[in-house]
Amino acid sequence: MTAFQTAVKENKKKSPVVQENINKEESIFSAKGLNLWYGNDQALKDINLDIRKNGVTAIIGPSGCGKSTFLKTLNRMVELVPIVKTSGAIDYHGVNIFDPSVNLVELRSSVGMVFQKPNPFPKSIFDNVAFGPRVHGVKKKAELKEIVEKSLRGSGLWDEVKDRLGESAMGLSGGQQQRLCIARCLAVEPEVILMDEPTSALDPKSTLKVEELIQELKKDYSIVIVTHNMQQAARISDKTAFFLNGEVVEYDNTDTIFSNPQDKRTEDYITGRFG
Amino acid sequence: MSKQMSQRLWFGICGFFASMTIVALLFLLFSIVKEGASVISWSFITEPPRRNMTEGGIWPALVGTFYVASLTVLISVPIGIGAAIYLNEYAKQGPVVRVIRMSIRNLAGVPSIVYGLFGLAIFASTLRLGVGLITAAITLAIMVLPWIITASEEALKAVPNSFREGGLALGATKWQTIRNNVLPSAIPGMATGSILGLARAAGETAPIILTGAAYFSRNLPSSLNDSFMALPYHLYILATQHAQAAAVRPIAYGTALVLIMMVILLNLSAILLRNHYRRKNEMF
Amino acid sequence: MSSHAEKQSEDIKQMKVVNKEKLTQKSFKANTLDFLIEKMFFVFGSIAVFVLLLLLYFLVREGSSALQEVGILTYLTETRWYPSSPQGAGYGALQFIVGSIMVTIGALVIAIPWGIFTAIFIAEIAPKRVREILKPVVEVLAIFPSVVLGFIALVILSPIVANVFDLSNGRTALTASLILSVMALPTIVSIAEDSLRSVPKDYREAAYALGASRWETIKIVTFPAAKSGILAGVMLGFGRAVGETMTVLMAAGNAISMPMTEFMGITVPNFLASVRTLTANIAIEGSDVSWGSLHYSSLFVLALILFVITFVVNLIADLLISRQRRKLTNE
Ligand SMILES: Nc1ncnc2c1ncn2[C@@H]1O[C@H](COP(=O)(O)OP(=O)(O)OP(=O)(O)O)[C@@H](O)[C@H]1O
Ligand SMILES: [Mg+2]
């Protein structure tokens, strides 16, 4: 039995509600016995979770249950908090991302991230999108231009900003800023995009735009999205994981989770009885 | 005495002392401006002293102060910013950082004359630089270093963390993130700190007495080893060391006024710079 | 949008390869270069430690011949200072130490009530508009070049002192104390104000809820809670004053004798006497002493004494500030 199968078996043992079919799909990340502590406070407890390749995986759960922490663990951004300690493994392309040999620059280039609050840099729109390619060594103006256009088209922002690429990104609306951040992420050509409540700071119209964009992007990227908004998870995701107190309570096809949850706690949460 | 009465009494006492602060400042400014204003003229600024300093202006002292303060900033600012970058961006909490911070606080408390003696011993004597511009500037640079570090760290702390996270999440290395995302936003704050350092260096007297200031020199310094006239030292000389104390008094007042205006203007420009960028940042 | 996105996705899929090799491949930029840059900044960061050690080393090295030949006790306990006299040289520096301490204490006697009441006024009492005048006033006082303050003491204060006390020379310990209090004031005000401000709002609100007046709240709640921080401000003010050179040099008269007088049969410090401080003595003699002489070395002993005083004072201030912080975060 391979280590992977063992892990799967363990996984099933510990979370009996995880459905068979999930493990049959090709997964991009697989967390195995992942624990994480902030100092002495454990924020993630023995997480075993396979995130499928392509499509959208939503992570839901009450505030403070460890959603953001888990997401930031996938590209090791969580380590910016100096007191963080982890144990266990996350497999990505056959490598444990915690392995000392892992090149963080490569990991973060292929696992992009969009933050809760849009965080454009105080530079021009063009320079924001060109930031990633530049730091990765693209110097030619023509090439940069091409990437910037492609990425802005990819995030559906091109038509709105094509005439003012030189202006400060800070002048864009909140929704535009968030799509700019997505474009900035696309410009690095990632394989996975992590999104932490990307629409929570946006108005309904901008939210709709970003949701449409996610539907578009999922054809080509694996997307993991944290959301507080149950309807959003139901609308846009293929798989949903329900976190509670740092543990995965239930992980299944989104339809199943929302129509026929196996765990009482999941049901309570999605029907709004707590959290 | 009723509650009300005693509160009024104590508030009155506090208010009295607070207003004494204003009175003290006005008194200081007024006494200098009253006597100094009539002395200042274009020729006072641009001419060298004449007739054993009883006539003429302060040009060489002004230039000397400009030289030594600029050199000081040139030396201390890169080092101070580097140290601040280490402390704010790289260092992890622990004994090393504690020792560094303790040293910085300690250096900030060392009396300026002790720096002067130190500069004399190490740069002038041991390293054979002699007394002159460069010795004085290095000594002053060491003296202002703690302030520059502290100001630069404040500037770095004010940069939102999201700029760092955004850069790192795009796969930029730590240094690329600092250089492209952190420093550009911190530079106005650092510039403010540097100008304040410049003002302190320009107004400081004790260390340069020992390390290079000249009583009188006919020529402007032409090399880094030349001794130099400086405004604060010039004022000290005119006030206490000159044989014809009464005859040079007006010039001393004029020198004091120029010195004060220079320091206040430098500080004012630093504050305006800070506010300008703060406003700009709020827009973001 | 969608057609563009599709087109773009084809491009990307062609270019993008993520695999084990790439993920674990070392790169110069991300590994070596960043490591070197971090080390470089570490060097910058440790310069402060290096400078402090160097400073101490040179003070001790240059002062060592005096310490060996004369002995520290002579400096600390004797009062005869003739360091360059060929026969019968004296190295007693007690009068300088007494001078330094006297002008500093004199300055603090004025600056402590002045500074603390002003800080209370700024932090607790003054309406916003008044506060916005007072704060810059204190800041401008803080940037006044000390030589200008010394000049004012010399030309304005000392004649007044001479007049009032009927002295022939108005440059006295008192004159120096008066002007030094202005120098110590901004330090005391700003640190005390900071610590008053750092007292959480709920402390105050709890007192108001019990029916305390604003002044009672300040007296019983806010001030005691901020006490360590205020004391730290006083210590830093002490350090500032004891290390100050130019104002004292110009205001205190610089006589080498012990500034004592008989008062009802007891020897007491005489604030109307001319005094010379440690700092002033270094400034006066440091520029024309011959390098390497015992006299030169003696000046480093004085600097060492100064260094120790300010070191201890700053250390106490440090401890007080961290105690204040702990107190307010624990409760
Ligand atoms: N930087 C940190 N230092 C210490 N503890 C932290 C830190 N960040 C998060 N935590 C703790 O870890 C736990 C999980 O936090 P996390 O931010 O992952 O929750 P979340 O599910 O994203 O919540 P929300 O829905 O509010 O965003 C919480 O108990 C939180 O207090
Ligand atoms: Mg979160």
Side-chain angles (χ1 to χ4, degrees), chain C residues 93-222:
Chain C
L94 181 60
Q95 68 282 19
F96 303 145
I97 301 173
V98 170
S100 282
I101 306 258
M102 254 173 77
V103 294
T104 301
I105 300 231
L108 287 184
V109 165
I110 303 164
I112 288 174
W114 190 0
I116 292 180
F117 282 121
T118 304
I120 293 177
F121 190 77
I122 296 178
E124 302 285 321
I125 301 171
K128 194 160 181 272
R129 196 126 30 79
V130 179
R131 191 162 67 224
E132 266 158 23
I133 298 171
L134 276 168
K135 290 198 74 153
V137 164
V138 174
E139 276 165 32
V140 174
L141 275 183
I143 60 168
F144 247 76
S146 56
V147 69
V148 174
L149 289 174
F151 178 64
I152 291 172
L154 181 75
V155 295
I156 296 173
L157 277 185
S158 76
I160 297 177
V161 170
N163 249 331
V164 171
F165 295 97
D166 198 17
L167 306 168
S168 61
N169 177 3
R171 290 190 241 168
T172 63
L174 175 68
T175 323
S177 294
L178 285 171
I179 200 71
L180 264 188
S181 70
V182 177
M183 296 213 71
L185 184 75
T187 310
I188 298 180
V189 172
S190 63
I191 309 259
E193 192 213 328
D194 277 351
S195 51
L196 285 167
R197 267 182 198 290
S198 68
V199 176
K201 267 214 184 66
D202 13 326
Y203 281 40
R204 264 159 265 200
E205 270 151 23
Y208 292 147
L210 294 172
S213 70
R214 274 175 75 200
W215 175 252
E216 283 170 328
T217 306
I218 294 170
K219 196 173 76 179
I220 303 166
V221 180
T222 321

Side-chain angles (χ1 to χ4, degrees), chain A residues 203-216:
Chain A
D203 61 82
K205 231 175 109 198
S206 311
T207 299
L208 194 66
K209 273 221 161 103
V210 172
E211 283 185 12
E212 282 170 8
L213 177 57
I214 292 172
Q215 292 303 311
E216 236 8 271

Side-chain angles (χ1 to χ4, degrees), chain A residues 95 103 135 189 216 220-221, chain C residues 9 13 16 23 25 29:
Chain A
V95 186
N103 184 333
V135 299
E189 301 177 344
E216 236 8 271
D220 308 305
Y221 304 90
Chain C
S9 67
K13 289 296 131 177
K16 196 68 199 181
L23 278 171
Q25 141 201 103
K29 195 182 72 187

Side-chain angles (χ1 to χ4, degrees), chain A residues 36-193:
Chain A
L36 185 142
W37 294 264
Y38 289 107
N40 293 322
D41 301 330
Q42 188 163 8
L44 296 178
K45 294 167 194 158
D46 191 30
I47 306 272
N48 295 286
L49 196 64
D50 286 358
I51 291 185
R52 59 168 267 185
K53 198 173 166 104
N54 297 333
V56 178
T57 304
I59 298 177
I60 59 170
S63 190
C65 66
K67 307 180 295 292
S68 299
T69 301
F70 177 69
L71 199 71
K72 285 189 288 180
T73 310
L74 295 176
N75 63 351
R76 288 180 57 182
M77 286 291 285
V78 76
E79 290 167 23
L80 294 192
V81 181
I83 51 172
V84 159
K85 285 191 298 276
T86 52
S87 74
I90 298 179
D91 260 10
Y92 177 56
H93 290 284
V95 186
N96 174 11
I97 63 165
F98 298 118
D99 196 277
S101 67
V102 166
N103 184 333
L104 277 184
V105 166
E106 281 303 327
L107 176 68
R108 289 176 185 161
S109 307
S110 31
V111 185
M113 184 159 213
V114 175
F115 296 84
Q116 177 169 4
K117 206 166 148 263
N119 63 340
F121 304 139
K123 302 173 189 289
S124 71
I125 294 170
F126 184 94
D127 287 343
N128 261 277
V129 183
F131 181 91
R134 278 198 179 119
V135 299
H136 293 115
V138 180
K139 289 206 183 67
K140 286 204 209 79
K141 188 84 185 171
E143 202 176 334
L144 283 172
K145 263 191 178 145
E146 194 183 323
I147 297 175
V148 168
E149 178 172 347
K150 216 164 66 181
S151 310
L152 284 170
R153 282 190 193 283
S155 74
L157 198 59
W158 176 251
D159 291 330
E160 290 160 64
V161 301
K162 64 172 184 254
D163 299 324
R164 47 174 178 144
L165 292 175
E167 284 173 33
S168 168
M170 299 300 185
L172 297 173
S173 74
Q176 289 174 322
Q177 286 187 1
Q178 194 62 301
R179 280 181 289 144
L180 178 73
C181 292
I182 294 174
R184 194 172 68 184
C185 183
L186 297 182
V188 191
E189 301 177 344
E191 177 185 38
V192 185
I193 302 176

Side-chain angles (χ1 to χ4, degrees), chain B residues 26-69:
Chain B
L26 291 180
F27 168 75
L28 294 172
L29 287 176
F30 176 74
S31 47
I32 296 292
V33 172
K34 193 184 82 175
E35 302 285 329
S38 59
V39 180
I40 294 188
S41 66
W42 183 243
S43 61
F44 181 73
I45 304 286
T46 57
E47 282 177 14
R50 285 192 318 265
R51 297 194 180 214
N52 192 20
M53 301 198 254
T54 56
E55 286 175 20
I58 52 169
W59 177 245
L62 206 59
V63 174
T65 288
F66 174 75
Y67 281 174
V68 79

